[in-house]
Amino acid sequence: MATAQIAFETLQVPIFSLVKTPLVQLYHVGKSTGLVIDVGSSNATVTPILDGIIQSKSSFSSKFAGDFANLHALNYLQKYGGLDALLPKRFLSTKATESFKNYQISHYALEDFKLSMLSVAEGAANQYQYPVTPKSYQLPNGSHVSVYREQIDLMESLFQPQLYQIPGVAIPEPAMDKPLTHGIITLILSSLKTLEGSLAGEHQTPNKFGEVLRELCGNILITGGSSLTTGFSQRILNDLYRSAGQLFAPQLQGRNITFGTLGNHHIGDIQDTWDRKFSAWKGATNLASMLNDYNGEADNLNIALENWFVTKSDYEEMGEDLILEKFK
Ligand SMILES: Nc1ncnc2c1ncn2[C@@H]1O[C@H](COP(=O)(O)OP(=O)(O)OP(=O)(O)O)[C@@H](O)[C@H]1O
Ligand SMILES: [Mg+2]
């Protein structure tokens, strides 16, 4: 409500909308059905979307995302000279505040460490003997650390959180009925399983869900800053390939299932990086720019206008109630 007030009254915009993040992320790649997997800093979320409708009962989220990986990286790096080693020397002598130092550590030291040193294993890391060649990392204070298995183990924590404990940090035991206690793959599988349950009432024929499943798995959108880690997307696809086919064998009735990711750019391309960090913003600007392309006959646009936007005159006429009704 406050947002609408600022938009119309302070900024005097002619037209306004509030759209949920995963939905614009999906529209950004030109789809209205898909499985959006967003791994950002504080949250990893899985959102199935069917024909432009967010399936909120089967949308799940957990805390096993970028900040959690930071915690692991911090726990590891601290062994080499404590927190001070993670600050450039010029900040040690100054009277910098604690919060400034923390910001430096999480935004520069840890992010750089993740970006340059860590990657995600192709499969469950503890089951594989990885031929890891040690890499040398220079800490902000100038000293060097040799990184061995941690190159993959630190990120594996997002996939199997309970296997990698940090002293003093309570990691909840995995529970079937608590999606937020699981790593990203189980979170995705729980979301799909719950979706099956919630669609069961609507679609009588049992193989109907099989079709929905095939469509979702063919349109997976992996986004968010943490998904930029080398190997991340591929690992998700590998694990789903291994587990979803088995779990949903009865629903698939012997038909093939393919797992495909959405995105217009190849991994590592600068556009891909931008998409993953700012997909919600880019999607929303696309949506807004559709309005400029309006030529009087675009049906889709009319639908979008009617359903998604509130105009200034409507707002002036109906006020708060309209906003609450429209964006509930
Ligand atoms: N190239 C990269 N490699 C690995 N991790 C990265 C990279 N770039 C950013 N990150 C991590 O991605 C996270 C930020 O992602 P994003 O901007 O999607 O989060 P957010 O939308 O702010 O958070 P949330 O969605 O949880 O509210 C941080 O944890 C950051 O360290
Ligand atoms: Mg985000």
Side-chain angles (χ1 to χ4, degrees):
M1 190 57 228
T3 319
Q5 226 165 27
I6 294 172
F8 285 122
E9 292 170 21
T10 315
L11 302 173
Q12 299 283 322
V13 302
I15 192 166
F16 171 83
S17 182
L18 279 179
V19 194
K20 296 232 163 70
T21 305
L23 193 59
V24 273
Q25 289 172 327
L26 192 61
Y27 272 106
H28 177 57
V29 291
K31 294 280 178 172
S32 57
T33 293
L35 185 65
V36 182
I37 301 168
D38 182 351
V39 188
S41 348
S42 51
N43 289 301
T45 61
V46 179
T47 315
I49 298 177
L50 301 176
D51 295 323
I53 298 171
I54 292 184
Q55 305 295 307
S56 29
K57 280 193 206 125
S58 29
S59 301
F60 291 149
S61 103
S62 83
K63 294 284 165 203
F64 303 125
D67 289 346
F68 188 68
N70 278 8
L71 204 59
H72 277 278
L74 183 68
N75 177 53
Y76 170 68
L77 289 176
Q78 261 189 350
K79 293 174 192 146
Y80 303 91
L83 283 184
D84 283 354
L86 300 176
L87 281 171
K89 283 197 177 109
R90 65 180 187 281
F91 294 134
L92 285 179
S93 48
T94 63
K95 295 194 191 76
T97 61
E98 278 309 300
S99 75
F100 174 81
K101 288 182 178 172
N102 289 339
Y103 183 85
Q104 281 292 324
I105 291 175
S106 66
H107 277 76
Y108 296 98
L110 297 180
E111 189 146 337
D112 178 70
F113 178 73
K114 285 199 292 189
L115 182 80
S116 56
M117 302 301 284
L118 304 188
S119 58
V120 175
E122 285 170 26
N126 57 323
Q127 292 170 15
Y128 290 73
Q129 277 302 325
Y130 271 89
V132 181
T133 335
K135 282 203 225 167
S136 176
Y137 184 71
Q138 185 171 32
L139 294 173
N141 75 350
S143 61
H144 284 86
V145 175
S146 285
V147 189
Y148 294 85
R149 274 195 68 104
E150 292 78 15
Q151 288 170 45
I152 47 171
D153 284 351
L154 295 176
M155 286 307 290
E156 189 66 19
S157 64
L158 303 194
F159 292 81
Q160 310 187 72
Q162 285 79 16
L163 282 189
Y164 301 89
Q165 298 289 332
I166 303 176
V169 177
I171 295 170
E173 279 298 308
M176 277 307 283
D177 56 341
K178 294 198 187 99
L180 57 87
T181 58
H182 295 285
I184 186 72
I185 301 298
T186 311
L187 200 66
I188 298 169
L189 295 174
S190 315
S191 160
L192 294 172
K193 206 67 194 149
T194 310
L195 183 66
E196 180 184 18
S198 69
L199 292 182
E202 294 171 34
H203 304 286
Q204 306 306 336
T205 44
N207 65 346
K208 183 75 188 172
F209 178 70
E211 275 164 43
V212 171
L213 186 67
R214 285 153 50 87
E215 194 167 0
L216 287 178
C217 292
N219 293 287
I220 298 177
L221 177 62
I222 302 178
T223 188
S226 297
S227 75
L228 286 166
T229 314
T230 311
F232 192 92
S233 301
Q234 192 55 48
R235 169 64 178 279
I236 295 215
L237 294 180
N238 292 350
D239 278 8
L240 285 182
Y241 180 79
R242 267 190 280 269
S243 51
Q246 268 181 353
L247 182 65
F248 293 108
Q251 293 83 341
L252 292 168
Q253 300 189 314
R255 298 188 64 193
N256 273 340
I257 183 163
T258 48
F259 297 89
T261 48
L262 299 170
N264 300 321
H265 309 286
H266 64 85
I267 292 170
D269 185 280
I270 181 69
Q271 293 298 339
D272 175 63
T273 307
W274 280 63
D275 274 1
R276 291 190 197 211
K277 285 192 178 174
F278 308 114
S279 54
W281 300 102
K282 290 180 79 174
T285 41
N286 284 162
L287 190 66
S289 66
M290 271 166 53
L291 298 172
N292 290 331
D293 301 339
Y294 183 48
N295 59 15
E297 50 190 314
D299 282 349
N300 286 344
L301 185 72
N302 282 328
I303 294 170
L305 272 177
E306 292 232 323
N307 292 338
W308 289 3
F309 289 92
V310 169
T311 62
K312 189 160 194 291
S313 57
D314 285 349
Y315 174 76
E316 279 159 1
E317 202 173 306
M318 291 176 267
E320 287 189 16
D321 294 349
L322 178 67
I323 302 289
L324 293 177
E325 172 60 27
K326 199 102 180 183
F327 305 119
K328 63 179 177 230

Short mmCIF file of all heavy atoms in Angstrom, two decimals, residues 115-173:
data_model
loop_
_atom_site.label_atom_id
_atom_site.label_comp_id
_atom_site.label_asym_id
_atom_site.label_seq_id
_atom_site.Cartn_x
_atom_site.Cartn_y
_atom_site.Cartn_z
N LEU A 115 33.89 -16.71 -5.64
CA LEU A 115 33.95 -16.54 -7.09
C LEU A 115 35.19 -17.18 -7.68
O LEU A 115 35.14 -17.86 -8.70
CB LEU A 115 33.95 -15.04 -7.38
CG LEU A 115 33.96 -14.60 -8.83
CD1 LEU A 115 32.54 -14.70 -9.35
CD2 LEU A 115 34.42 -13.16 -8.93
N SER A 116 36.34 -16.99 -7.03
CA SER A 116 37.57 -17.44 -7.67
C SER A 116 37.97 -18.86 -7.27
O SER A 116 38.71 -19.51 -8.01
CB SER A 116 38.71 -16.47 -7.35
OG SER A 116 38.85 -16.33 -5.97
N MET A 117 37.51 -19.35 -6.14
CA MET A 117 38.02 -20.64 -5.66
C MET A 117 37.00 -21.78 -5.66
O MET A 117 37.38 -22.94 -5.75
CB MET A 117 38.56 -20.49 -4.24
CG MET A 117 39.65 -19.48 -4.08
SD MET A 117 41.08 -19.83 -5.10
CE MET A 117 41.83 -21.16 -4.19
N LEU A 118 35.73 -21.46 -5.47
CA LEU A 118 34.78 -22.55 -5.23
C LEU A 118 34.04 -23.00 -6.48
O LEU A 118 33.83 -22.21 -7.40
CB LEU A 118 33.76 -22.12 -4.16
CG LEU A 118 34.34 -21.66 -2.82
CD1 LEU A 118 33.23 -21.46 -1.82
CD2 LEU A 118 35.37 -22.65 -2.29
N SER A 119 33.69 -24.26 -6.47
CA SER A 119 32.81 -24.75 -7.53
C SER A 119 31.95 -25.87 -6.97
O SER A 119 32.16 -26.33 -5.84
CB SER A 119 33.63 -25.24 -8.72
OG SER A 119 34.49 -26.26 -8.30
N VAL A 120 30.96 -26.26 -7.73
CA VAL A 120 30.02 -27.28 -7.28
C VAL A 120 30.36 -28.59 -7.98
O VAL A 120 30.62 -28.60 -9.19
CB VAL A 120 28.57 -26.84 -7.61
CG1 VAL A 120 27.59 -27.95 -7.25
CG2 VAL A 120 28.23 -25.56 -6.86
N ALA A 121 30.38 -29.67 -7.19
CA ALA A 121 30.70 -30.98 -7.76
C ALA A 121 29.59 -31.45 -8.68
O ALA A 121 28.44 -31.04 -8.54
CB ALA A 121 30.90 -31.99 -6.63
N GLU A 122 29.94 -32.35 -9.61
CA GLU A 122 28.93 -32.85 -10.54
C GLU A 122 27.87 -33.71 -9.86
O GLU A 122 26.74 -33.82 -10.32
CB GLU A 122 29.60 -33.71 -11.61
CG GLU A 122 30.34 -32.90 -12.63
CD GLU A 122 31.18 -33.78 -13.52
OE1 GLU A 122 30.85 -34.98 -13.69
OE2 GLU A 122 32.19 -33.28 -14.04
N GLY A 123 28.29 -34.38 -8.76
CA GLY A 123 27.34 -35.21 -8.03
C GLY A 123 27.68 -35.12 -6.56
O GLY A 123 28.70 -34.51 -6.20
N ALA A 124 26.86 -35.75 -5.70
CA ALA A 124 27.07 -35.67 -4.25
C ALA A 124 28.55 -35.84 -3.90
O ALA A 124 29.12 -36.91 -4.09
CB ALA A 124 26.23 -36.73 -3.55
N ALA A 125 29.16 -34.79 -3.39
CA ALA A 125 30.63 -34.73 -3.30
C ALA A 125 31.23 -35.81 -2.42
O ALA A 125 32.29 -36.33 -2.73
CB ALA A 125 31.06 -33.36 -2.82
N ASN A 126 30.53 -36.18 -1.35
CA ASN A 126 31.14 -37.15 -0.44
C ASN A 126 31.16 -38.56 -1.02
O ASN A 126 31.84 -39.43 -0.52
CB ASN A 126 30.41 -37.14 0.91
CG ASN A 126 28.94 -37.41 0.73
OD1 ASN A 126 28.33 -36.96 -0.24
ND2 ASN A 126 28.37 -38.16 1.64
N GLN A 127 30.39 -38.78 -2.10
CA GLN A 127 30.37 -40.11 -2.70
C GLN A 127 31.44 -40.26 -3.78
O GLN A 127 31.59 -41.31 -4.37
CB GLN A 127 29.00 -40.38 -3.33
CG GLN A 127 27.92 -40.50 -2.30
CD GLN A 127 26.55 -40.52 -2.95
OE1 GLN A 127 26.43 -40.72 -4.14
NE2 GLN A 127 25.53 -40.31 -2.15
N TYR A 128 32.10 -39.21 -4.08
CA TYR A 128 33.08 -39.26 -5.16
C TYR A 128 34.47 -39.01 -4.62
O TYR A 128 34.66 -38.26 -3.69
CB TYR A 128 32.77 -38.17 -6.21
CG TYR A 128 31.54 -38.45 -6.99
CD1 TYR A 128 30.28 -38.31 -6.41
CD2 TYR A 128 31.61 -38.84 -8.31
CE1 TYR A 128 29.13 -38.57 -7.11
CE2 TYR A 128 30.47 -39.11 -9.04
CZ TYR A 128 29.23 -38.97 -8.44
OH TYR A 128 28.10 -39.23 -9.14
N GLN A 129 35.43 -39.64 -5.25
CA GLN A 129 36.80 -39.32 -4.92
C GLN A 129 37.24 -38.25 -5.89
O GLN A 129 37.52 -38.53 -7.05
CB GLN A 129 37.69 -40.57 -5.08
CG GLN A 129 37.65 -41.48 -3.88
CD GLN A 129 38.10 -40.78 -2.61
OE1 GLN A 129 38.97 -39.93 -2.66
NE2 GLN A 129 37.46 -41.09 -1.49
N TYR A 130 37.24 -37.03 -5.43
CA TYR A 130 37.60 -35.99 -6.37
C TYR A 130 39.09 -35.78 -6.47
O TYR A 130 39.77 -35.64 -5.47
CB TYR A 130 36.91 -34.66 -6.01
CG TYR A 130 35.59 -34.59 -6.66
CD1 TYR A 130 34.46 -35.08 -6.04
CD2 TYR A 130 35.50 -34.09 -7.94
CE1 TYR A 130 33.25 -35.06 -6.67
CE2 TYR A 130 34.28 -34.06 -8.59
CZ TYR A 130 33.16 -34.54 -7.96
OH TYR A 130 31.98 -34.54 -8.59
N PRO A 131 39.60 -35.80 -7.68
CA PRO A 131 41.02 -35.51 -7.85
C PRO A 131 41.22 -34.00 -7.75
O PRO A 131 41.31 -33.31 -8.76
CB PRO A 131 41.31 -36.01 -9.26
CG PRO A 131 40.00 -35.97 -9.98
CD PRO A 131 38.91 -35.97 -8.96
N VAL A 132 41.22 -33.50 -6.52
CA VAL A 132 41.30 -32.05 -6.36
C VAL A 132 42.75 -31.60 -6.32
O VAL A 132 43.53 -32.03 -5.48
CB VAL A 132 40.58 -31.58 -5.08
CG1 VAL A 132 40.66 -30.07 -4.95
CG2 VAL A 132 39.14 -32.03 -5.09
N THR A 133 43.11 -30.73 -7.24
CA THR A 133 44.44 -30.14 -7.21
C THR A 133 44.34 -28.90 -6.33
O THR A 133 43.44 -28.10 -6.52
CB THR A 133 44.85 -29.65 -8.62
OG1 THR A 133 44.13 -30.41 -9.58
CG2 THR A 133 46.33 -29.76 -8.83
N PRO A 134 45.25 -28.79 -5.36
CA PRO A 134 45.13 -27.62 -4.49
C PRO A 134 45.32 -26.32 -5.27
O PRO A 134 46.09 -26.25 -6.22
CB PRO A 134 46.26 -27.82 -3.48
CG PRO A 134 47.17 -28.83 -4.06
CD PRO A 134 46.36 -29.67 -4.99
N LYS A 135 44.54 -25.31 -4.86
CA LYS A 135 44.67 -23.99 -5.48
C LYS A 135 45.16 -23.05 -4.40
O LYS A 135 44.78 -23.18 -3.24
CB LYS A 135 43.32 -23.49 -5.96
CG LYS A 135 42.82 -24.08 -7.25
CD LYS A 135 41.81 -23.08 -7.85
CE LYS A 135 40.55 -23.74 -8.37
NZ LYS A 135 39.49 -22.77 -8.67
N SER A 136 45.95 -22.10 -4.81
CA SER A 136 46.47 -21.16 -3.83
C SER A 136 45.63 -19.88 -3.86
O SER A 136 45.29 -19.38 -4.91
CB SER A 136 47.92 -20.84 -4.17
OG SER A 136 48.40 -19.86 -3.30
N TYR A 137 45.27 -19.42 -2.66
CA TYR A 137 44.46 -18.20 -2.58
C TYR A 137 45.17 -17.16 -1.72
O TYR A 137 45.66 -17.47 -0.64
CB TYR A 137 43.10 -18.53 -1.96
CG TYR A 137 42.17 -17.34 -1.94
CD1 TYR A 137 41.62 -16.86 -3.12
CD2 TYR A 137 41.87 -16.69 -0.74
CE1 TYR A 137 40.77 -15.76 -3.11
CE2 TYR A 137 41.01 -15.59 -0.73
CZ TYR A 137 40.47 -15.13 -1.93
OH TYR A 137 39.65 -14.04 -1.91
N GLN A 138 45.21 -15.96 -2.23
CA GLN A 138 45.84 -14.90 -1.45
C GLN A 138 44.78 -14.16 -0.64
O GLN A 138 43.82 -13.61 -1.19
CB GLN A 138 46.58 -13.92 -2.36
CG GLN A 138 47.35 -12.89 -1.55
CD GLN A 138 48.27 -12.04 -2.40
OE1 GLN A 138 47.97 -11.78 -3.57
NE2 GLN A 138 49.38 -11.60 -1.83
N LEU A 139 44.95 -14.16 0.67
CA LEU A 139 44.00 -13.47 1.54
C LEU A 139 44.20 -11.96 1.43
O LEU A 139 45.27 -11.50 1.03
CB LEU A 139 44.23 -13.90 3.00
CG LEU A 139 43.92 -15.37 3.32
CD1 LEU A 139 44.35 -15.69 4.74
CD2 LEU A 139 42.44 -15.65 3.12
N PRO A 140 43.17 -11.20 1.80
CA PRO A 140 43.30 -9.74 1.70
C PRO A 140 44.52 -9.18 2.44
O PRO A 140 45.07 -8.17 2.05
CB PRO A 140 42.00 -9.23 2.33
CG PRO A 140 41.03 -10.33 2.10
CD PRO A 140 41.81 -11.60 2.21
N ASN A 141 44.97 -9.86 3.52
CA ASN A 141 46.14 -9.34 4.24
C ASN A 141 47.47 -9.73 3.57
O ASN A 141 48.54 -9.43 4.08
CB ASN A 141 46.12 -9.79 5.71
CG ASN A 141 46.51 -11.25 5.87
OD1 ASN A 141 46.62 -11.99 4.90
ND2 ASN A 141 46.71 -11.66 7.12
N GLY A 142 47.38 -10.45 2.46
CA GLY A 142 48.59 -10.74 1.70
C GLY A 142 49.10 -12.16 1.84
O GLY A 142 49.86 -12.63 1.00
N SER A 143 48.68 -12.88 2.91
CA SER A 143 49.19 -14.24 3.08
C SER A 143 48.47 -15.23 2.15
O SER A 143 47.42 -14.92 1.60
CB SER A 143 49.05 -14.67 4.54
OG SER A 143 47.69 -14.66 4.89
N HIS A 144 49.07 -16.41 1.99
CA HIS A 144 48.51 -17.40 1.07
C HIS A 144 47.95 -18.62 1.78
O HIS A 144 48.47 -19.04 2.80
CB HIS A 144 49.59 -17.87 0.09
CG HIS A 144 49.86 -16.85 -0.97
ND1 HIS A 144 50.77 -15.83 -0.78
CD2 HIS A 144 49.33 -16.68 -2.20
CE1 HIS A 144 50.78 -15.08 -1.87
NE2 HIS A 144 49.92 -15.57 -2.74
N VAL A 145 46.88 -19.17 1.22
CA VAL A 145 46.25 -20.36 1.77
C VAL A 145 46.14 -21.38 0.63
O VAL A 145 45.81 -21.01 -0.49
CB VAL A 145 44.81 -20.03 2.23
CG1 VAL A 145 44.09 -21.28 2.68
CG2 VAL A 145 44.82 -18.99 3.32
N SER A 146 46.44 -22.66 0.92
CA SER A 146 46.22 -23.69 -0.09
C SER A 146 44.86 -24.31 0.16
O SER A 146 44.58 -24.80 1.25
CB SER A 146 47.28 -24.78 0.01
OG SER A 146 48.48 -24.29 -0.52
N VAL A 147 44.03 -24.32 -0.85
CA VAL A 147 42.68 -24.82 -0.69
C VAL A 147 42.57 -26.17 -1.38
O VAL A 147 42.82 -26.29 -2.57
CB VAL A 147 41.65 -23.83 -1.28
CG1 VAL A 147 40.25 -24.25 -0.92
CG2 VAL A 147 41.93 -22.43 -0.79
N TYR A 148 42.18 -27.20 -0.63
CA TYR A 148 42.08 -28.55 -1.17
C TYR A 148 40.62 -28.89 -1.45
O TYR A 148 39.95 -28.23 -2.23
CB TYR A 148 42.71 -29.56 -0.20
CG TYR A 148 44.21 -29.37 -0.06
CD1 TYR A 148 44.74 -28.44 0.82
CD2 TYR A 148 45.09 -30.11 -0.85
CE1 TYR A 148 46.11 -28.26 0.94
CE2 TYR A 148 46.46 -29.94 -0.74
CZ TYR A 148 46.97 -29.02 0.15
OH TYR A 148 48.31 -28.85 0.26
N ARG A 149 40.12 -29.90 -0.77
CA ARG A 149 38.73 -30.34 -0.99
C ARG A 149 37.70 -29.25 -0.72
O ARG A 149 36.57 -29.34 -1.19
CB ARG A 149 38.44 -31.53 -0.07
CG ARG A 149 38.84 -32.87 -0.62
CD ARG A 149 38.16 -33.94 0.19
NE ARG A 149 36.73 -33.93 -0.03
CZ ARG A 149 36.11 -34.82 -0.78
NH1 ARG A 149 36.77 -35.76 -1.35
NH2 ARG A 149 34.81 -34.75 -0.95
N GLU A 150 38.12 -28.28 0.08
CA GLU A 150 37.17 -27.20 0.41
C GLU A 150 36.66 -26.51 -0.84
O GLU A 150 35.58 -25.92 -0.83
CB GLU A 150 37.83 -26.18 1.33
CG GLU A 150 38.14 -26.69 2.72
CD GLU A 150 39.38 -27.56 2.75
OE1 GLU A 150 40.16 -27.54 1.77
OE2 GLU A 150 39.57 -28.28 3.76
N GLN A 151 37.43 -26.58 -1.93
CA GLN A 151 36.98 -26.00 -3.20
C GLN A 151 35.58 -26.47 -3.56
O GLN A 151 34.79 -25.72 -4.12
CB GLN A 151 37.91 -26.42 -4.34
CG GLN A 151 39.26 -25.77 -4.33
CD GLN A 151 40.18 -26.44 -5.35
OE1 GLN A 151 39.79 -26.70 -6.48
NE2 GLN A 151 41.39 -26.75 -4.93
N ILE A 152 35.30 -27.74 -3.26
CA ILE A 152 33.95 -28.24 -3.56
C ILE A 152 33.11 -28.43 -2.31
O ILE A 152 31.90 -28.23 -2.34
CB ILE A 152 33.98 -29.55 -4.37
CG1 ILE A 152 34.96 -30.52 -3.74
CG2 ILE A 152 34.28 -29.30 -5.82
CD1 ILE A 152 34.89 -31.89 -4.35
N ASP A 153 33.75 -28.79 -1.18
CA ASP A 153 32.97 -29.06 0.04
C ASP A 153 32.20 -27.84 0.53
O ASP A 153 31.09 -27.96 1.04
CB ASP A 153 33.89 -29.56 1.16
CG ASP A 153 34.29 -31.02 0.93
OD1 ASP A 153 33.72 -31.64 0.01
OD2 ASP A 153 35.16 -31.51 1.66
N LEU A 154 32.79 -26.67 0.40
CA LEU A 154 32.12 -25.48 0.95
C LEU A 154 30.80 -25.19 0.23
O LEU A 154 29.85 -24.74 0.84
CB LEU A 154 33.06 -24.26 0.91
CG LEU A 154 34.30 -24.35 1.80
CD1 LEU A 154 35.19 -23.14 1.62
CD2 LEU A 154 33.91 -24.50 3.27
N MET A 155 30.75 -25.49 -1.06
CA MET A 155 29.49 -25.28 -1.79
C MET A 155 28.55 -26.46 -1.65
O MET A 155 27.34 -26.33 -1.78
CB MET A 155 29.74 -25.03 -3.28
CG MET A 155 30.30 -23.67 -3.59
SD MET A 155 29.34 -22.30 -2.92
CE MET A 155 27.85 -22.36 -3.91
N GLU A 156 29.12 -27.64 -1.37
CA GLU A 156 28.29 -28.84 -1.19
C GLU A 156 27.30 -28.63 -0.03
O GLU A 156 26.26 -29.27 0.03
CB GLU A 156 29.19 -30.06 -0.94
CG GLU A 156 28.49 -31.39 -0.94
CD GLU A 156 27.92 -31.78 -2.30
OE1 GLU A 156 28.35 -31.22 -3.33
OE2 GLU A 156 27.02 -32.63 -2.31
N SER A 157 27.65 -27.71 0.86
CA SER A 157 26.78 -27.43 2.00
C SER A 157 25.38 -26.96 1.57
O SER A 157 24.42 -27.10 2.31
CB SER A 157 27.41 -26.40 2.92
OG SER A 157 27.53 -25.17 2.23
N LEU A 158 25.26 -26.40 0.38
CA LEU A 158 23.92 -25.98 -0.07
C LEU A 158 23.10 -27.19 -0.53
O LEU A 158 21.89 -27.13 -0.60
CB LEU A 158 24.00 -24.98 -1.23
CG LEU A 158 24.79 -23.69 -1.03
CD1 LEU A 158 24.47 -22.70 -2.13
CD2 LEU A 158 24.46 -23.08 0.32
N PHE A 159 23.80 -28.26 -0.87
CA PHE A 159 23.12 -29.46 -1.36
C PHE A 159 22.86 -30.45 -0.23
O PHE A 159 21.82 -31.09 -0.20
CB PHE A 159 23.94 -30.12 -2.48
CG PHE A 159 23.98 -29.27 -3.73
CD1 PHE A 159 24.87 -28.21 -3.84
CD2 PHE A 159 23.09 -29.51 -4.77
CE1 PHE A 159 24.89 -27.41 -4.98
CE2 PHE A 159 23.10 -28.72 -5.90
CZ PHE A 159 24.00 -27.66 -6.02
N GLN A 160 23.84 -30.58 0.67
CA GLN A 160 23.69 -31.52 1.80
C GLN A 160 24.05 -30.79 3.09
O GLN A 160 25.11 -31.07 3.67
CB GLN A 160 24.62 -32.71 1.61
CG GLN A 160 24.52 -33.36 0.24
CD GLN A 160 25.33 -34.63 0.16
OE1 GLN A 160 24.97 -35.65 0.73
NE2 GLN A 160 26.46 -34.57 -0.53
N PRO A 161 23.21 -29.87 3.53
CA PRO A 161 23.59 -28.99 4.64
C PRO A 161 23.99 -29.73 5.92
O PRO A 161 24.90 -29.30 6.62
CB PRO A 161 22.35 -28.13 4.88
CG PRO A 161 21.28 -28.67 4.01
CD PRO A 161 21.89 -29.55 3.00
N GLN A 162 23.33 -30.87 6.21
CA GLN A 162 23.59 -31.53 7.49
C GLN A 162 24.97 -32.20 7.55
O GLN A 162 25.47 -32.48 8.62
CB GLN A 162 22.51 -32.57 7.80
CG GLN A 162 21.19 -31.95 8.25
CD GLN A 162 20.36 -31.43 7.07
OE1 GLN A 162 20.61 -31.79 5.93
NE2 GLN A 162 19.38 -30.58 7.36
N LEU A 163 25.56 -32.45 6.40
CA LEU A 163 26.86 -33.11 6.39
C LEU A 163 28.00 -32.18 6.77
O LEU A 163 29.08 -32.62 7.11
CB LEU A 163 27.16 -33.67 5.00
CG LEU A 163 26.47 -34.95 4.58
CD1 LEU A 163 27.06 -35.44 3.28
CD2 LEU A 163 26.64 -36.00 5.67
N TYR A 164 27.75 -30.89 6.65
CA TYR A 164 28.83 -29.94 6.90
C TYR A 164 28.47 -29.03 8.05
O TYR A 164 27.75 -28.05 7.89
CB TYR A 164 29.11 -29.14 5.62
CG TYR A 164 29.49 -30.03 4.48
CD1 TYR A 164 28.51 -30.56 3.63
CD2 TYR A 164 30.81 -30.39 4.27
CE1 TYR A 164 28.84 -31.42 2.60
CE2 TYR A 164 31.16 -31.25 3.23
CZ TYR A 164 30.18 -31.76 2.41
OH TYR A 164 30.51 -32.61 1.39
N GLN A 165 28.93 -29.41 9.23
CA GLN A 165 28.57 -28.66 10.43
C GLN A 165 29.56 -27.52 10.67
O GLN A 165 30.73 -27.61 10.30
CB GLN A 165 28.57 -29.58 11.65
CG GLN A 165 27.54 -30.71 11.56
CD GLN A 165 26.10 -30.22 11.72
OE1 GLN A 165 25.85 -29.21 12.36
NE2 GLN A 165 25.15 -30.94 11.13
N ILE A 166 29.06 -26.47 11.27
CA ILE A 166 29.93 -25.36 11.67
C ILE A 166 29.81 -25.23 13.18
O ILE A 166 28.68 -25.20 13.69
CB ILE A 166 29.46 -24.03 11.04
CG1 ILE A 166 29.41 -24.16 9.52
CG2 ILE A 166 30.38 -22.88 11.46
CD1 ILE A 166 28.87 -22.92 8.84
N PRO A 167 30.94 -25.18 13.90
CA PRO A 167 30.85 -25.06 15.36
C PRO A 167 30.00 -23.85 15.76
O PRO A 167 30.18 -22.76 15.21
CB PRO A 167 32.30 -24.85 15.80
CG PRO A 167 33.14 -25.29 14.64
CD PRO A 167 32.33 -25.18 13.42
N GLY A 168 29.05 -24.09 16.67
CA GLY A 168 28.24 -22.98 17.16
C GLY A 168 27.06 -22.62 16.30
O GLY A 168 26.30 -21.71 16.62
N VAL A 169 26.89 -23.31 15.17
CA VAL A 169 25.74 -23.00 14.32
C VAL A 169 24.83 -24.22 14.27
O VAL A 169 25.26 -25.31 13.90
CB VAL A 169 26.18 -22.64 12.87
CG1 VAL A 169 24.98 -22.41 11.97
CG2 VAL A 169 27.10 -21.44 12.89
N ALA A 170 23.58 -24.02 14.70
CA ALA A 170 22.65 -25.14 14.71
C ALA A 170 22.01 -25.30 13.34
O ALA A 170 21.39 -24.37 12.83
CB ALA A 170 21.57 -24.90 15.76
N ILE A 171 22.22 -26.46 12.75
CA ILE A 171 21.60 -26.74 11.46
C ILE A 171 20.47 -27.73 11.70
O ILE A 171 20.70 -28.79 12.27
CB ILE A 171 22.64 -27.29 10.47
CG1 ILE A 171 23.69 -26.21 10.20
CG2 ILE A 171 21.98 -27.74 9.16
CD1 ILE A 171 24.90 -26.68 9.46
N PRO A 172 19.24 -27.37 11.34
CA PRO A 172 18.10 -28.23 11.69
C PRO A 172 18.20 -29.61 11.06
O PRO A 172 18.68 -29.75 9.94
CB PRO A 172 16.89 -27.46 11.14
CG PRO A 172 17.45 -26.52 10.13
CD PRO A 172 18.83 -26.20 10.56
N GLU A 173 17.75 -30.61 11.82
CA GLU A 173 17.69 -31.97 11.29
C GLU A 173 16.70 -32.01 10.13
O GLU A 173 15.65 -31.38 10.20
CB GLU A 173 17.20 -32.93 12.38
CG GLU A 173 18.28 -33.36 13.35
CD GLU A 173 19.39 -34.12 12.65
OE1 GLU A 173 19.09 -35.09 11.93
OE2 GLU A 173 20.57 -33.73 12.82
#
